């Protein structure tokens, strides 16, 4: 414990969640050591710079590093609280891979002393926090661990999922409610006293298993609801209806709130986490599994519809956007990128990509003749527009600059797009 009674903290994993978390904790006055296996990441942070894009993060990191409250290291130090925020990917069979969590626990084990608290924040299948506890028990037989023996434990272990939205991470880290699941109620209370130092949202305590399931449930809920919207868009296309109008009208019902269809679901959370639930209860998850398949299937549907449009038109085609969602520079697991790259593979000479967040076309376009161009050039050169991402830049194109375009709008950003006589105007729908 520091002289001012604030806990010394180690944050293991300095990615999209770990780095902002480390910086926010440091801002509250604790000395934080961020640990990462990448030496380049460690060096960057120690220079007060950052290796990821997130609004306001660079200034915060610069401030806490220069005040000596945050430093990065490749080694786990001694600390009072250890926060683990490492990736939990899945393998080819969609089975969760918790290897990095267990590696982190192994690295923490030798540093533990009585009174310490370990908190896992990585999205994890139910039971992972107990596996982490079991690993520590093996590595440190000298310590009493929670839930294994009667009486007070030496170490508190809890699960507290992150819930932040990329692009709003700093605000949501502080203001969102947090679910804090202890292996025992004592563990939960210990972790609660830590989070209260920097979280303004409400902190609710529960068990580690319930907290693990809560995180998976949140993202599966969103996936299922987006799948409903995507299925509606395909039904509307079949029936010749404007899906955006149908949703707008249905949402006027006081208990209906349909999400937005799109070209598919991207990112590393919503398209991944539902599989963790399916994997742990394969026979009980037909709905969650079907949602995944509808959302993944939407990509192929959009490619097929776009192909039809390209076949009916001539001249250059502008694909608007590559990011997995609006106003971010993250292209990983992006449906927009998959669609634009598939079109480029088949019609490279005609495909022009507009992506304000890219300096060059990603590797998926290698070997194609597709070109990255700016929006003004696309407006001048392309008669056909395929909207794949709802970036503000695209939304702001006024009607008079696009009225004569043939538009396939998978995001519904231009509801005022006029029908063109002899042009397939229905393709402006998210069909
Ligand atoms: N999308 C749609 N239609 C919609 C909403 C989203 O097609 O109506 C698509 C987006 O375009 C994107 C994907 O879904 O491709 C996911 O985007 P998102 O903004 O819904 O979510 P993420 O992946 O950026 O962040 C989610 C959040 N979870 C929930 O909203 C339940 C965030 O709070 C989590 O912290 C994050 O996952 C995570 O790390 O788990």
């Amino acid at each position: 414990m520091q002289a001012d009674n604030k806990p010394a903290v180690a944050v293991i994993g300095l990615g999209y969640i770990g780095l902002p978390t480390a910086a926010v904790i440091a801002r509250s006055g604790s000395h934080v050591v961020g640990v990462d296996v990448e030496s380049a990441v460690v060096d960057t942070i120690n220079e007060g710079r950052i290796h990821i894009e997130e609004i306001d993060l660079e200034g915060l990191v610069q401030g806490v590093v220069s005040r000596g409250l945050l430093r990065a290291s490749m080694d786990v130090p001694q600390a009072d609280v250890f926060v683990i925020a490492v990736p939990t990917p899945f393998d080819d069979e969609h089975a969760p891979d918790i290897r990095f969590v267990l590696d982190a626990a192994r690295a923490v084990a030798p540093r533990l002393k009585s009174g310490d608290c370990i908190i896992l924040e990585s999205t994890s299948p139910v039971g992972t926090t107990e596996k982490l506890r079991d690993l520590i028990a093996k590595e440190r037989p000298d310590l009493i661990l929670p839930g294994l023996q009667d009486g007070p434990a030496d170490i508190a272990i809890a699960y507290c999922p992150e819930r932040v939205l990329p692009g709003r991470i700093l605000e949501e880290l502080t203001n969102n409610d947090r679910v804090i699941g202890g292996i025992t109620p004592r563990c939960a209370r210990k972790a609660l006293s830590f989070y209260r130092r920097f979280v303004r949202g409400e902190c609710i305590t529960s068990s580690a298993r319930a907290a693990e399931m809560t995180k998976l449930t949140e993202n599966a809920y969103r996936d299922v609801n987006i799948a409903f919207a995507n299925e509606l868009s395909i039904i509307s296309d079949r029936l010749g209806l404007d899906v955006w109008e149908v949703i707008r009208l249905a949402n006027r019902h006081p208990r209906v709130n349909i999400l937005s269809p799109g070209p598919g679901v991207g990112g590393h959370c919503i398209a991944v986490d539902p599989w963790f639930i399916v994997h742990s209860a394969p026979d009980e998850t037909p709905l969650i599994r079907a949602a995944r398949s509808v959302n993944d299937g939407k990509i192929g549907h959009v490619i097929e519809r776009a192909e039809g449009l390209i076949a009916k038109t001539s001249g250059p085609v502008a694909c608007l956007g590559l990011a997995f969602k609006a106003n971010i520079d993250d292209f990983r697991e992006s449906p927009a990128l998959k669609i634009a790259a598939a079109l480029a593979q088949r019609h490279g000479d005609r495909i022009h990509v507009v992506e304000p967040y890219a300096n060059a076309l990603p590797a998926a376009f290698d070997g194609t003749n597709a070109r990255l161009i700016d929006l003004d050039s696309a407006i001048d050169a392309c008669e056909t527009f395929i909207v794949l991402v709802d970036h503000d830049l695209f939304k702001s194109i006024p009607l008079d600059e696009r009225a004569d375009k043939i538009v396939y709008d998978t995001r519904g950003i231009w509801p005022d797009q006029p029908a063109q006589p002899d042009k397939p105007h229905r393709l402006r729908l998210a069909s």
Side-chain angles (χ1 to χ4, degrees):
M1 201 66 76
Q2 298 172 195
D4 55 8
N5 229 16
K6 291 180 174 151
V9 180
V11 176
I12 324 296
L14 293 174
Y16 275 90
I17 302 303
L19 179 57
T21 303
V24 165
I25 300 168
R27 183 173 62 189
S28 75
S30 275
H31 281 90
V32 180
V33 178
V35 180
D36 205 280
V37 290
E38 294 280 343
S39 60
V41 168
V42 168
D43 293 344
T44 303
I45 292 164
N46 282 333
E47 286 162 15
R49 297 183 298 115
I50 60 174
H51 62 293
I52 54 175
E53 283 285 328
E54 180 57 36
I55 293 160
D56 295 338
L57 183 61
E58 182 128 41
L60 176 61
V61 167
Q62 207 170 46
V64 285
V65 168
S66 69
R67 283 159 63 205
L69 289 168
L70 173 65
R71 72 179 173 87
S73 167
M74 293 183 74
D75 301 313
V76 177
Q78 280 229 323
D80 304 307
V81 179
F82 298 86
V83 177
I84 298 176
V86 294
T88 42
F90 59 28
D91 67 15
D92 293 344
E93 261 86 59
H94 298 124
D97 176 359
I98 61 165
R99 190 178 1 158
F100 300 125
V101 172
L102 299 179
D103 286 349
R106 217 169 274 116
V108 165
R111 303 283 179 228
L112 289 170
K113 60 185 184 313
S114 185
D116 286 355
C117 180
I118 306 174
I119 298 162
L120 177 60
E121 288 208 2
S122 312
T123 302
S124 299
V126 174
T128 305
T129 313
E130 289 164 348
K131 285 191 179 139
L132 181 154
R133 183 265 324 266
D134 295 345
L135 186 146
I136 303 270
K138 256 202 210 127
E139 302 274 321
R140 291 293 302 268
D142 54 314
L143 293 169
I144 300 175
L145 290 170
L148 293 180
Q149 284 146 281
D150 288 339
D154 291 328
I155 305 291
I157 302 179
Y159 180 75
C160 179
E162 59 80 16
R163 303 172 128 171
V164 292
L165 203 65
R168 293 167 48 91
I169 292 183
L170 290 182
E171 193 205 316
E172 294 207 356
L173 257 181
T174 324
N175 293 326
N176 285 2
D177 292 350
R178 300 296 293 250
V179 178
I180 301 171
I183 293 253
T184 62
R186 266 177 200 244
C187 294
R189 286 195 293 274
K190 177 101 178 174
L192 174 70
S193 65
F194 170 65
Y195 280 99
R196 281 220 172 115
R197 293 181 169 278
F198 60 93
V199 171
R200 270 199 294 265
E202 209 175 312
C203 296
I204 302 119
T205 55
S206 179
S207 67
R209 290 173 72 86
E212 288 162 342
M213 187 61 185
T214 302
K215 169 69 191 183
L216 302 178
T217 301
E218 290 163 4
N219 282 351
Y221 168 85
R222 195 141 166 97
D223 198 44
V224 168
N225 282 278
I226 297 170
F228 181 70
N230 277 333
E231 190 161 294
L232 267 186
S233 76
I234 294 171
I235 298 168
S236 299
D237 183 33
R238 165 64 67 94
L239 302 181
L241 292 162
D242 179 339
V243 68
W244 306 103
E245 185 187 18
V246 171
I247 292 175
R248 208 168 42 246
L249 296 175
N251 281 350
R252 296 191 76 103
H253 184 289
R255 285 174 294 284
V256 174
N257 186 13
I258 301 168
L259 295 181
S260 301
V265 170
H268 353 280
C269 307
I270 294 193
V272 174
D273 301 356
W275 289 114
F276 288 19
I277 305 181
V278 171
H279 190 259
S280 44
D283 296 332
E284 291 79 17
T285 40
L287 176 66
I288 295 175
R289 209 188 277 262
R292 279 285 67 246
S293 132
V294 169
N295 286 334
D296 282 348
K298 189 70 195 288
I299 296 174
H301 180 86
V302 172
I303 293 173
E304 204 177 295
R305 294 300 259 128
E307 290 269 7
L309 183 60
I310 291 169
K312 276 192 226 141
T313 56
S314 56
V317 174
C319 287
L320 300 192
L322 295 177
F324 90 84
K325 64 176 188 176
N327 306 325
I328 59 167
D329 68 340
D330 194 339
F331 305 150
R332 290 172 294 169
E333 301 305 319
S334 169
L337 190 149
K338 287 179 190 157
I339 293 162
L343 296 176
Q345 295 294 344
R346 288 167 216 172
H347 313 276
D349 289 332
R350 290 184 59 195
I351 301 298
H352 292 186
V353 176
V354 182
E355 175 47 85
Y357 292 90
N359 300 320
L361 285 178
F365 290 85
D366 286 357
T368 75
N369 289 328
R371 290 199 289 144
L372 183 69
I373 62 173
D374 64 27
L375 182 58
D376 287 345
S377 310
I379 291 172
D380 292 343
C382 302
E383 191 202 15
T384 306
F385 275 31
I386 301 176
V387 180
L388 297 171
V389 184
D390 44 345
H391 288 319
D392 288 346
L393 178 70
F394 304 149
K395 283 192 196 163
S396 72
I397 303 172
L399 182 57
D400 60 354
E401 284 194 306
R402 56 181 159 80
D404 62 343
K405 307 285 182 200
I406 297 171
V407 171
Y408 177 12
D409 178 1
T410 71
R411 295 279 185 177
I413 61 170
W414 297 327
D416 58 351
Q417 186 69 28
Q420 295 290 311
D422 76 343
K423 287 182 184 168
H425 75 275
R426 272 207 299 114
L427 285 170
R428 80 178 170 76
L429 309 182
S431 53

